[in-house]
Amino acid sequence: MAVRSMTWRQGLALRCLGVGLCVLAWRAIAHLIVMAGHGGRAGLLSYALATTGFFCASLGSALAILGGHMFDEVEVSARWRRL
């Protein structure tokens, strides 16, 4: 595989994207809680908000913490390498 070189601006952009995704997740989950508080039933919108909140929170936190290092290669021990 080709070695990637990421500039500090690209790393910062990935971290900002991660924070933005976390904010989007917070808004989706907050809206879901408000819907449930008003006696809403679990419909398609509720499931879509829950899925969006989970996906954005997972990816956003990973991007915010790791930034450009998310794409770093790691060395796998000989036991788990493919033959």
Side-chain angles (χ1 to χ4, degrees):
M1 248 180 124
V3 176
R4 297 181 186 193
S5 61
M6 190 164 292
T7 64
W8 66 272
R9 288 182 182 176
Q10 291 171 335
L12 183 64
L14 283 175
R15 289 182 193 267
C16 289
L17 176 65
V19 170
L21 284 173
C22 287
V23 169
L24 181 64
W26 175 73
R27 296 283 299 175
I29 293 171
H31 188 70
L32 184 63
I33 291 171
V34 168
M35 283 177 53
H38 290 269
R41 297 186 62 199
L44 183 62
L45 180 61
S46 299
Y47 285 115
L49 283 173
T51 302
T52 301
F54 177 77
F55 178 73
C56 289
S58 299
L59 185 60
S61 61
L63 281 173
I65 293 170
L66 296 175
H69 295 289
M70 188 170 173
F71 304 110
D72 287 351
E73 293 184 17
V74 294
E75 186 175 336
V76 179
S77 69
R79 178 180 180 184
W80 299 106
R81 287 189 191 142
R82 293 185 179 174
L83 298 176

Coordinates of all heavy atoms in Angstrom, one line a residue:
M1 N 0.8 -1.2 0.0 CA 0.0 0.0 0.0 C 0.9 1.2 0.0 O 2.0 1.3 0.6 CB -0.9 0.0 1.3 CG -2.3 -0.2 1.0 SD -3.2 -0.1 2.5 CE -4.3 1.2 2.1
A2 N 0.4 2.3 -0.6 CA 1.1 3.5 -0.6 C 1.1 4.2 0.7 O 0.1 4.1 1.4 CB 0.5 4.4 -1.7
V3 N 2.2 4.8 1.1 CA 2.2 5.5 2.3 C 1.5 6.9 2.2 O 1.8 7.6 1.3 CB 3.7 5.7 2.8 CG1 3.8 6.5 4.0 CG2 4.4 4.4 2.9
R4 N 0.6 7.1 3.1 CA -0.1 8.4 3.0 C 0.6 9.4 3.9 O 1.1 9.1 5.0 CB -1.5 8.2 3.6 CG -2.4 7.3 2.8 CD -3.7 7.2 3.4 NE -4.5 6.2 2.7 CZ -5.8 6.1 2.8 NH1 -6.5 6.9 3.6 NH2 -6.4 5.2 2.1
S5 N 0.7 10.6 3.4 CA 1.2 11.7 4.2 C 0.1 12.8 4.3 O -0.4 13.2 3.3 CB 2.5 12.3 3.5 OG 2.1 12.9 2.3
M6 N -0.2 13.0 5.6 CA -1.3 13.9 5.8 C -0.8 15.2 6.4 O 0.0 15.2 7.4 CB -2.4 13.3 6.8 CG -3.6 14.0 6.9 SD -5.0 13.1 7.6 CE -5.2 11.9 6.3
T7 N -1.2 16.3 5.9 CA -0.8 17.6 6.5 C -1.6 17.9 7.7 O -2.6 17.3 8.0 CB -1.0 18.8 5.4 OG1 -2.4 18.9 5.2 CG2 -0.3 18.4 4.1
W8 N -1.1 18.9 8.5 CA -1.8 19.3 9.7 C -3.2 19.9 9.5 O -4.1 19.7 10.3 CB -0.9 20.2 10.6 CG -0.7 21.5 9.9 CD1 0.3 21.9 9.1 CD2 -1.5 22.7 10.1 NE1 0.1 23.2 8.7 CE2 -1.0 23.7 9.4 CE3 -2.6 23.0 10.9 CZ2 -1.5 25.0 9.3 CZ3 -3.2 24.3 10.8 CH2 -2.6 25.3 10.0
R9 N -3.3 20.5 8.3 CA -4.6 21.1 7.9 C -5.7 20.0 7.7 O -6.8 20.1 8.1 CB -4.5 22.0 6.7 CG -3.8 23.2 7.0 CD -3.8 24.1 5.8 NE -3.0 25.3 6.1 CZ -2.8 26.3 5.3 NH1 -3.1 26.1 4.0 NH2 -2.1 27.3 5.6
Q10 N -5.2 18.9 7.0 CA -6.1 17.8 6.8 C -6.5 17.1 8.1 O -7.7 16.7 8.3 CB -5.5 16.8 5.8 CG -5.4 17.3 4.4 CD -4.5 16.4 3.5 OE1 -3.7 15.7 4.0 NE2 -4.8 16.5 2.2
G11 N -5.5 16.9 9.0 CA -5.8 16.4 10.3 C -6.8 17.2 11.1 O -7.7 16.7 11.7
L12 N -6.6 18.5 11.0 CA -7.5 19.4 11.7 C -8.9 19.4 11.1 O -9.9 19.4 11.8 CB -6.9 20.8 11.7 CG -7.7 21.9 12.5 CD1 -7.8 21.6 13.9 CD2 -7.1 23.3 12.2
A13 N -9.0 19.3 9.8 CA -10.3 19.2 9.1 C -11.0 17.9 9.5 O -12.2 18.0 9.7 CB -10.1 19.3 7.6
L14 N -10.3 16.8 9.6 CA -10.9 15.6 10.1 C -11.4 15.7 11.5 O -12.5 15.2 11.8 CB -9.9 14.4 9.9 CG -9.7 13.9 8.5 CD1 -8.6 12.8 8.5 CD2 -11.0 13.3 7.9
R15 N -10.6 16.3 12.4 CA -11.1 16.5 13.8 C -12.3 17.4 13.8 O -13.2 17.2 14.6 CB -10.0 17.0 14.6 CG -8.9 16.0 14.8 CD -7.8 16.5 15.7 NE -6.6 15.7 15.7 CZ -6.4 14.7 16.6 NH1 -7.3 14.5 17.5 NH2 -5.3 14.0 16.5
C16 N -12.3 18.5 13.0 CA -13.5 19.4 13.0 C -14.7 18.6 12.4 O -15.9 18.8 12.9 CB -13.2 20.6 12.2 SG -12.1 21.7 13.0
L17 N -14.5 17.8 11.5 CA -15.6 17.0 10.9 C -16.1 16.0 12.0 O -17.4 15.8 12.1 CB -15.1 16.2 9.7 CG -16.1 15.2 9.1 CD1 -17.3 16.0 8.5 CD2 -15.5 14.4 8.1
G18 N -15.2 15.5 12.8 CA -15.7 14.6 13.9 C -16.5 15.4 15.0 O -17.5 14.8 15.4
V19 N -16.1 16.6 15.3 CA -16.8 17.4 16.3 C -18.2 17.7 15.7 O -19.2 17.7 16.4 CB -16.0 18.6 16.7 CG1 -16.9 19.6 17.4 CG2 -14.8 18.2 17.4
G20 N -18.2 18.0 14.4 CA -19.5 18.3 13.7 C -20.4 17.1 13.7 O -21.7 17.3 14.0
L21 N -19.9 15.9 13.5 CA -20.7 14.7 13.6 C -21.2 14.5 15.0 O -22.4 14.0 15.1 CB -19.9 13.5 13.0 CG -19.8 13.5 11.5 CD1 -18.8 12.3 11.2 CD2 -21.1 13.3 10.8
C22 N -20.4 14.8 16.0 CA -20.9 14.6 17.4 C -22.0 15.6 17.7 O -23.0 15.2 18.4 CB -19.7 14.8 18.3 SG -18.5 13.4 18.3
V23 N -21.9 16.8 17.2 CA -23.0 17.8 17.4 C -24.3 17.3 16.7 O -25.4 17.4 17.2 CB -22.6 19.2 16.9 CG1 -23.8 20.1 16.8 CG2 -21.5 19.7 17.8
L24 N -24.1 16.8 15.5 CA -25.3 16.2 14.7 C -25.9 15.1 15.5 O -27.1 15.0 15.6 CB -24.9 15.8 13.3 CG -26.0 15.2 12.4 CD1 -27.0 16.3 12.1 CD2 -25.3 14.7 11.1
A25 N -25.1 14.2 16.1 CA -25.6 13.1 16.9 C -26.3 13.6 18.1 O -27.4 13.1 18.4 CB -24.4 12.2 17.3
W26 N -25.8 14.6 18.7 CA -26.4 15.1 19.9 C -27.8 15.7 19.6 O -28.8 15.5 20.3 CB -25.5 16.2 20.5 CG -26.2 16.9 21.7 CD1 -26.4 16.5 22.9 CD2 -26.7 18.3 21.6 NE1 -27.0 17.4 23.7 CE2 -27.2 18.6 22.9 CE3 -26.8 19.2 20.6 CZ2 -27.8 19.8 23.2 CZ3 -27.3 20.5 21.0 CH2 -27.9 20.7 22.2
R27 N -27.9 16.4 18.4 CA -29.2 17.0 18.0 C -30.2 15.9 17.7 O -31.3 16.0 18.0 CB -28.9 17.9 16.8 CG -28.1 19.1 17.0 CD -28.8 20.2 17.8 NE -29.9 20.6 16.9 CZ -30.9 21.5 17.3 NH1 -30.8 22.0 18.5 NH2 -31.9 21.8 16.5
A28 N -29.7 14.9 17.0 CA -30.7 13.8 16.6 C -31.2 13.1 17.8 O -32.4 12.8 18.0 CB -29.9 12.8 15.7
I29 N -30.3 12.8 18.8 CA -30.7 12.1 20.0 C -31.6 13.0 20.9 O -32.6 12.5 21.5 CB -29.5 11.5 20.8 CG1 -28.8 10.4 19.9 CG2 -29.9 11.0 22.1 CD1 -27.5 10.0 20.4
A30 N -31.3 14.3 20.9 CA -32.1 15.2 21.7 C -33.5 15.3 21.1 O -34.5 15.3 21.8 CB -31.5 16.6 21.7
H31 N -33.6 15.3 19.8 CA -34.9 15.4 19.1 C -35.7 14.1 19.4 O -36.9 14.1 19.6 CB -34.8 15.6 17.6 CG -36.0 15.8 16.9 ND1 -36.8 17.0 17.1 CD2 -36.7 15.1 16.1 CE1 -37.9 16.9 16.4 NE2 -37.9 15.8 15.7
L32 N -35.0 12.9 19.4 CA -35.6 11.7 19.7 C -36.1 11.6 21.1 O -37.2 11.1 21.4 CB -34.5 10.5 19.5 CG -35.0 9.1 19.6 CD1 -36.1 8.8 18.6 CD2 -33.8 8.2 19.5
I33 N -35.4 12.2 22.1 CA -35.9 12.2 23.5 C -37.1 13.1 23.6 O -38.1 12.8 24.3 CB -34.7 12.7 24.4 CG1 -33.6 11.7 24.5 CG2 -35.2 13.1 25.8 CD1 -32.4 12.1 25.1
V34 N -37.1 14.2 22.9 CA -38.3 15.1 22.9 C -39.5 14.4 22.3 O -40.6 14.5 22.8 CB -38.0 16.4 22.2 CG1 -39.2 17.2 21.9 CG2 -37.0 17.2 22.9
M35 N -39.3 13.7 21.2 CA -40.4 12.9 20.6 C -40.9 11.9 21.6 O -42.1 11.7 21.7 CB -39.9 12.2 19.3 CG -39.8 13.2 18.1 SD -39.2 12.4 16.7 CE -40.2 11.0 16.5
A36 N -40.1 11.2 22.3 CA -40.5 10.2 23.2 C -41.2 10.8 24.4 O -42.1 10.2 25.0 CB -39.3 9.3 23.7
G37 N -40.8 12.0 24.8 CA -41.4 12.7 26.0 C -42.9 13.1 25.7 O -43.7 13.3 26.6
H38 N -43.2 13.3 24.4 CA -44.5 13.7 24.0 C -45.4 12.6 23.7 O -46.4 12.7 23.0 CB -44.4 14.7 22.8 CG -43.9 16.0 23.2 ND1 -44.6 17.1 23.5 CD2 -42.6 16.4 23.2 CE1 -43.8 18.1 23.8 NE2 -42.6 17.8 23.6
G39 N -45.0 11.4 24.1 CA -45.8 10.2 23.8 C -45.8 9.7 22.4 O -46.7 9.0 21.9
G40 N -44.7 9.9 21.7 CA -44.5 9.5 20.4 C -44.3 8.0 20.3 O -43.7 7.4 21.2
R41 N -44.8 7.4 19.3 CA -44.6 5.9 19.1 C -43.3 5.7 18.2 O -42.9 6.6 17.5 CB -45.8 5.3 18.4 CG -47.0 5.5 19.3 CD -48.2 4.8 18.7 NE -47.9 3.3 18.6 CZ -48.5 2.5 17.9 NH1 -49.5 2.9 17.1 NH2 -48.1 1.2 17.8
A42 N -42.8 4.5 18.3 CA -41.6 4.2 17.6 C -42.0 4.0 16.1 O -42.4 2.9 15.7 CB -40.9 3.0 18.1
G43 N -41.8 5.0 15.3 CA -42.1 4.9 13.9 C -40.8 4.9 13.1 O -39.7 4.8 13.6
L44 N -40.9 5.1 11.8 CA -39.8 5.2 10.9 C -38.8 6.3 11.3 O -37.6 6.2 11.3 CB -40.2 5.3 9.5 CG -39.1 5.3 8.4 CD1 -38.4 3.9 8.5 CD2 -39.7 5.5 7.0
L45 N -39.4 7.5 11.6 CA -38.6 8.6 12.0 C -37.8 8.4 13.2 O -36.6 8.8 13.3 CB -39.5 9.9 12.1 CG -38.7 11.2 12.5 CD1 -37.7 11.5 11.4 CD2 -39.7 12.3 12.7
S46 N -38.4 7.7 14.2 CA -37.7 7.4 15.4 C -36.5 6.5 15.2 O -35.4 6.7 15.7 CB -38.6 6.8 16.4 OG -39.7 7.6 16.8
Y47 N -36.7 5.5 14.4 CA -35.6 4.6 14.1 C -34.5 5.2 13.2 O -33.3 5.0 13.4 CB -36.1 3.3 13.3 CG -36.8 2.4 14.2 CD1 -38.2 2.1 14.1 CD2 -36.2 1.7 15.3 CE1 -38.9 1.2 14.9 CE2 -36.9 0.8 16.1 CZ -38.2 0.6 15.9 OH -38.8 -0.3 16.7
A48 N -34.9 6.1 12.3 CA -33.9 6.9 11.5 C -33.1 7.8 12.4 O -31.9 7.9 12.2 CB -34.6 7.6 10.4
L49 N -33.8 8.5 13.4 CA -33.0 9.3 14.3 C -32.1 8.6 15.2 O -31.0 9.0 15.4 CB -34.0 10.2 15.1 CG -34.7 11.3 14.5 CD1 -35.7 11.9 15.4 CD2 -33.6 12.4 14.1
A50 N -32.5 7.4 15.7 CA -31.7 6.6 16.5 C -30.5 6.1 15.7 O -29.3 6.1 16.2 CB -32.4 5.4 17.1
T51 N -30.7 5.6 14.5 CA -29.6 5.1 13.7 C -28.6 6.3 13.3 O -27.4 6.1 13.4 CB -30.2 4.5 12.4 OG1 -31.1 3.5 12.7 CG2 -29.0 4.0 11.5
T52 N -29.2 7.4 13.0 CA -28.3 8.6 12.7 C -27.5 9.0 13.9 O -26.3 9.3 13.8 CB -29.2 9.8 12.2 OG1 -29.9 9.4 11.0 CG2 -28.3 11.0 11.8
G53 N -28.1 9.0 15.0 CA -27.4 9.4 16.3 C -26.3 8.5 16.6 O -25.2 8.9 16.9
F54 N -26.6 7.2 16.5 CA -25.5 6.2 16.8 C -24.4 6.2 15.8 O -23.2 6.2 16.2 CB -26.2 4.8 16.8 CG -25.2 3.7 17.0 CD1 -24.7 3.4 18.3 CD2 -24.7 2.9 16.0 CE1 -23.8 2.4 18.5 CE2 -23.8 1.9 16.2 CZ -23.3 1.7 17.5
F55 N -24.7 6.3 14.5 CA -23.7 6.3 13.5 C -22.8 7.6 13.6 O -21.6 7.5 13.5 CB -24.3 6.2 12.1 CG -23.3 6.3 11.0 CD1 -22.5 5.2 10.7 CD2 -23.2 7.4 10.2 CE1 -21.6 5.3 9.7 CE2 -22.3 7.5 9.2 CZ -21.5 6.4 8.9
C56 N -23.5 8.7 13.7 CA -22.7 10.0 13.8 C -21.9 10.1 15.1 O -20.8 10.6 15.1 CB -23.6 11.2 13.7 SG -24.3 11.4 12.0
A57 N -22.4 9.6 16.2 CA -21.6 9.6 17.4 C -20.4 8.7 17.4 O -19.3 9.0 17.8 CB -22.5 9.2 18.6
S58 N -20.6 7.5 16.8 CA -19.5 6.6 16.7 C -18.4 7.1 15.8 O -17.2 7.1 16.1 CB -20.0 5.2 16.1 OG -20.9 4.7 17.0
L59 N -18.7 7.5 14.6 CA -17.7 8.0 13.6 C -17.2 9.3 14.1 O -16.0 9.6 13.9 CB -18.4 8.1 12.2 CG -17.4 8.5 11.1 CD1 -16.3 7.5 11.0 CD2 -18.2 8.6 9.8
G60 N -18.0 10.2 14.6 CA -17.6 11.5 15.1 C -16.6 11.4 16.2 O -15.6 12.2 16.2
S61 N -16.8 10.6 17.2 CA -15.9 10.5 18.3 C -14.6 9.9 17.8 O -13.5 10.3 18.3 CB -16.5 9.6 19.4 OG -16.8 8.3 19.0
A62 N -14.6 8.9 16.9 CA -13.4 8.3 16.4 C -12.6 9.4 15.6 O -11.3 9.5 15.8 CB -13.7 7.1 15.5
L63 N -13.2 10.2 14.8 CA -12.5 11.2 14.0 C -12.0 12.3 14.9 O -10.9 12.8 14.7 CB -13.4 11.8 13.0 CG -13.6 11.0 11.7 CD1 -14.7 11.6 10.8 CD2 -12.3 10.8 11.0
A64 N -12.8 12.7 15.9 CA -12.4 13.8 16.8 C -11.2 13.4 17.7 O -10.3 14.2 17.9 CB -13.5 14.2 17.7
I65 N -11.1 12.1 18.1 CA -10.0 11.7 18.9 C -8.8 11.3 18.1 O -7.7 11.8 18.4 CB -10.4 10.5 19.8 CG1 -11.5 10.9 20.8 CG2 -9.3 9.8 20.5 CD1 -12.2 9.7 21.5
L66 N -9.0 10.6 17.0 CA -7.8 10.1 16.2 C -7.4 11.1 15.1 O -6.2 11.1 14.8 CB -8.1 8.8 15.7 CG -8.3 7.7 16.7 CD1 -8.8 6.4 15.9 CD2 -7.1 7.4 17.5
G67 N -8.3 11.8 14.5 CA -8.0 12.7 13.4 C -7.4 11.9 12.2 O -7.9 10.9 11.8
G68 N -6.3 12.3 11.7 CA -5.6 11.7 10.6 C -5.0 10.3 10.9 O -4.7 9.5 10.1
H69 N -4.8 10.1 12.2 CA -4.2 8.8 12.6 C -5.1 7.7 12.6 O -4.8 6.5 12.8 CB -3.6 8.9 14.1 CG -2.5 9.9 14.2 ND1 -1.3 9.7 13.6 CD2 -2.4 11.1 14.7 CE1 -0.5 10.7 13.9 NE2 -1.2 11.6 14.5
M70 N -6.4 7.9 12.2 CA -7.4 6.9 12.0 C -7.0 5.9 10.9 O -7.3 4.8 10.9 CB -8.7 7.5 11.7 CG -9.9 6.6 11.7 SD -11.4 7.5 11.7 CE -12.5 6.2 11.5
F71 N -6.2 6.4 10.0 CA -5.8 5.6 8.8 C -4.4 5.0 8.9 O -3.9 4.5 7.9 CB -5.9 6.5 7.5 CG -7.3 7.1 7.3 CD1 -7.5 8.5 7.5 CD2 -8.4 6.3 7.0 CE1 -8.7 9.0 7.3 CE2 -9.6 6.9 6.8 CZ -9.8 8.2 7.0
D72 N -3.8 5.1 10.1 CA -2.5 4.6 10.3 C -2.5 3.0 10.2 O -3.5 2.4 10.7 CB -1.9 5.0 11.6 CG -1.5 6.4 11.7 OD1 -1.5 7.1 10.6 OD2 -1.2 6.9 12.8
E73 N -1.5 2.5 9.6 CA -1.4 1.0 9.6 C -0.8 0.5 10.9 O 0.1 1.1 11.5 CB -0.5 0.6 8.4 CG -1.1 0.9 7.1 CD -0.3 0.4 5.9 OE1 0.6 -0.5 6.2 OE2 -0.5 0.8 4.8
V74 N -1.3 -0.6 11.3 CA -0.8 -1.2 12.5 C -0.2 -2.6 12.2 O -0.6 -3.2 11.2 CB -1.9 -1.4 13.6 CG1 -2.4 -0.1 14.1 CG2 -3.0 -2.3 13.1
E75 N 0.8 -3.0 13.0 CA 1.5 -4.2 12.7 C 0.7 -5.4 13.4 O 0.4 -5.2 14.6 CB 2.9 -4.2 13.3 CG 3.7 -5.4 12.9 CD 5.1 -5.3 13.4 OE1 5.6 -4.2 13.5 OE2 5.8 -6.4 13.6
V76 N 0.4 -6.4 12.7 CA -0.3 -7.5 13.2 C 0.7 -8.6 13.5 O 1.6 -8.9 12.8 CB -1.3 -8.0 12.1 CG1 -2.1 -9.2 12.6 CG2 -2.3 -6.9 11.7
S77 N 0.5 -9.3 14.7 CA 1.4 -10.4 15.1 C 1.3 -11.5 14.1 O 0.4 -11.7 13.3 CB 1.1 -10.8 16.5 OG -0.2 -11.5 16.5
A78 N 2.4 -12.3 14.1 CA 2.5 -13.4 13.2 C 1.3 -14.4 13.3 O 0.9 -15.1 12.4 CB 3.8 -14.1 13.4
R79 N 0.8 -14.5 14.5 CA -0.3 -15.5 14.8 C -1.5 -15.1 14.0 O -2.3 -16.0 13.6 CB -0.6 -15.5 16.3 CG -1.7 -16.4 16.6 CD -2.0 -16.3 18.1 NE -3.1 -17.2 18.5 CZ -3.6 -17.3 19.6 NH1 -3.1 -16.6 20.6 NH2 -4.6 -18.1 19.9
W80 N -1.8 -13.9 13.8 CA -3.0 -13.5 13.1 C -2.9 -13.1 11.7 O -3.8 -12.7 11.0 CB -3.7 -12.3 13.9 CG -4.0 -12.7 15.3 CD1 -3.3 -12.3 16.4 CD2 -5.0 -13.6 15.7 NE1 -3.9 -12.9 17.5 CE2 -4.9 -13.7 17.1 CE3 -6.0 -14.2 15.1 CZ2 -5.8 -14.4 17.9 CZ3 -6.9 -15.0 15.8 CH2 -6.8 -15.1 17.2
R81 N -1.7 -13.2 11.1 CA -1.5 -12.8 9.7 C -2.0 -13.9 8.8 O -2.1 -15.1 9.2 CB 0.0 -12.7 9.4 CG 0.6 -11.4 10.0 CD 2.0 -11.2 9.5 NE 2.6 -10.1 10.3 CZ 3.8 -10.1 10.8 NH1 4.6 -11.1 10.4 NH2 4.3 -9.1 11.5
R82 N -2.5 -13.5 7.6 CA -2.9 -14.4 6.7 C -1.8 -15.1 6.0 O -0.7 -14.6 5.8 CB -3.8 -13.7 5.6 CG -5.0 -13.1 6.1 CD -5.8 -12.6 5.0 NE -7.1 -12.0 5.5 CZ -8.0 -11.4 4.9 NH1 -7.7 -11.1 3.6 NH2 -9.1 -10.9 5.4
L83 N -2.0 -16.3 5.6 CA -0.9 -17.1 5.0 C -0.8 -16.8 3.6 O -1.6 -16.4 2.9 CB -1.2 -18.6 5.2 CG -1.3 -19.1 6.6 CD1 -1.7 -20.5 6.6 CD2 0.0 -18.9 7.3

